[in-house]
């Protein structure tokens, strides 16, 4: 990425972090994707139970492997090798010490905007885990909530549906069709987080790099 673009991005991220702080959400800055795993681990106490939601961003940065290699109790809701019900694994995530995920969008005013299919990711953001750490690349910034929703539906949902093997209209045409097909739509819940009732619970790591969808 061009150095001038990086510097302009940093100015934007610093503004967003200040607005997150007004909303009782702790913001952090990372210059590159390579810096993120170390930052995440610095926010997790040794021995903590850690879980996560589905996220292309988490997959890209390798943070799940870093957690698994550390001194933590890991609840991987995607690991079905033990024969457990995937829904039960997701329920257990809601009582863990730390939950990792990305956020679909962050407004310049510090509002987190998310659309979720199963709801486990947004549920954990709202209540349950003692600490929630969200990672977002510069591509997730949006001017306002309307722009954020448009970004999620146009830029995040189509590639996510393709990644998950869904046969939704957006996976086929690239455009949202407001589908209501059970087992296919990933747009079941739309949540805007404008304030964290608990201080030091919600952490957002903003990365001066393009990550995820």
């Amino acid at each position: 990425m061009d150095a001038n673009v990086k510097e302009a991005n940093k100015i934007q991220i610093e503004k967003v972090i200040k607005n997150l702080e007004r909303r009782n959400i702790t913001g952090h800055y990372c210059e590159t994707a390579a810096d993120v795993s170390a930052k995440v681990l610095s926010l997790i106490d040794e021995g903590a139970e850690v879980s996560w939601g589905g996220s292309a961003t988490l997959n890209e940065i390798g943070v799940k492997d870093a957690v698994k290699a550390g001194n933590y109790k890991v609840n991987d809701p995607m690991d079905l090798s033990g024969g457990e019900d995937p829904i039960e694994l997701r329920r257990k995530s809601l009582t863990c010490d730390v939950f990792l995920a990305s956020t679909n969008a962050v407004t310049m005013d510090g509002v987190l905007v998310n659309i979720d299919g199963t709801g486990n990711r947004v549920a954990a953001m709202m209540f349950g885990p003692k600490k929630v750490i969200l990672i977002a690349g510069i591509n997730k910034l949006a001017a306002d909530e309307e722009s954020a929703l448009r970004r999620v539906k146009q830029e995040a949902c189509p590639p996510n549906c393709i990644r998950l093997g869904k046969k939704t209209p957006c996976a086929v045409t690239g455009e949202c069709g407001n589908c209501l097909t059970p087992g296919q739509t990933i747009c079941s819940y739309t949540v805007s987080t404008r304030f964290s009732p608990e201080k030091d619970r919600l952490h957002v790591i903003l990365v001066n790099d393009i990550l995820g969808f």
Side-chain angles (χ1 to χ4, degrees), residues 49-52 74-80 82-96 99 118 120:
E49 182 179 359
V50 184
S51 190
W52 44 70
V74 177
N75 171 23
D76 184 351
M78 316 302 171
D79 183 2
L80 305 181
E84 292 188 71
D85 183 336
I87 297 299
E88 286 304 315
L89 287 174
R90 290 171 181 172
R91 286 197 178 105
K92 288 179 181 178
S93 294
L94 299 178
T95 60
C96 66
F99 186 85
T118 305
N120 62 301

Side-chain angles (χ1 to χ4, degrees), residues 5 109 175 191 204:
V5 173
D109 199 31
E175 296 181 8
V191 174
V204 178

Side-chain angles (χ1 to χ4, degrees), residues 11 13 23 49 68 72 86 101 117 119 133 150 157 198:
I11 293 169
I13 290 173
R23 299 177 182 280
E49 182 179 359
K68 288 178 179 179
Y72 310 106
I133 302 172
R150 185 166 56 249
C157 288
E198 298 176 60

Side-chain angles (χ1 to χ4, degrees), residues 84-154:
E84 292 188 71
D85 183 336
I87 297 299
E88 286 304 315
L89 287 174
R90 290 171 181 172
R91 286 197 178 105
K92 288 179 181 178
S93 294
L94 299 178
T95 60
C96 66
D97 297 310
V98 180
F99 186 85
L100 308 178
S102 184
T103 180
N104 293 135
V106 186
T107 71
M108 293 302 297
D109 199 31
V111 176
L112 311 178
V113 178
N114 286 278
I115 292 178
D116 209 2
T118 305
N120 62 301
R121 183 172 59 97
V122 294
M125 290 181 192
M126 290 186 288
F127 186 82
K130 295 174 184 175
K131 180 180 285 186
V132 178
I133 302 172
L134 306 174
I135 300 104
I138 188 67
N139 49 312
K140 301 292 185 72
L141 296 190
D144 49 37
E145 288 187 62
E146 183 179 353
S147 301
L149 281 173
R150 185 166 56 249
R151 145 170 230 284
V152 181
K153 291 190 175 186
Q154 292 180 353

Side-chain angles (χ1 to χ4, degrees), residues 6-49:
K6 292 277 282 188
E7 187 59 31
N9 289 347
K10 186 175 182 180
I11 293 169
Q12 285 193 312
I13 290 173
E14 287 172 347
K15 178 179 179 181
V16 174
I17 287 174
K18 288 180 181 178
N19 286 327
L20 287 169
E21 299 287 349
R22 289 195 305 116
R23 299 177 182 280
N24 221 24
I25 300 170
T26 305
H28 307 269
Y29 175 82
C30 277
E31 181 70 16
T32 70
D35 303 325
V36 181
S37 287
K39 171 57 75 173
V40 170
L41 296 183
S42 75
L43 297 172
I44 306 176
D45 293 334
E46 284 198 13
E49 182 179 359

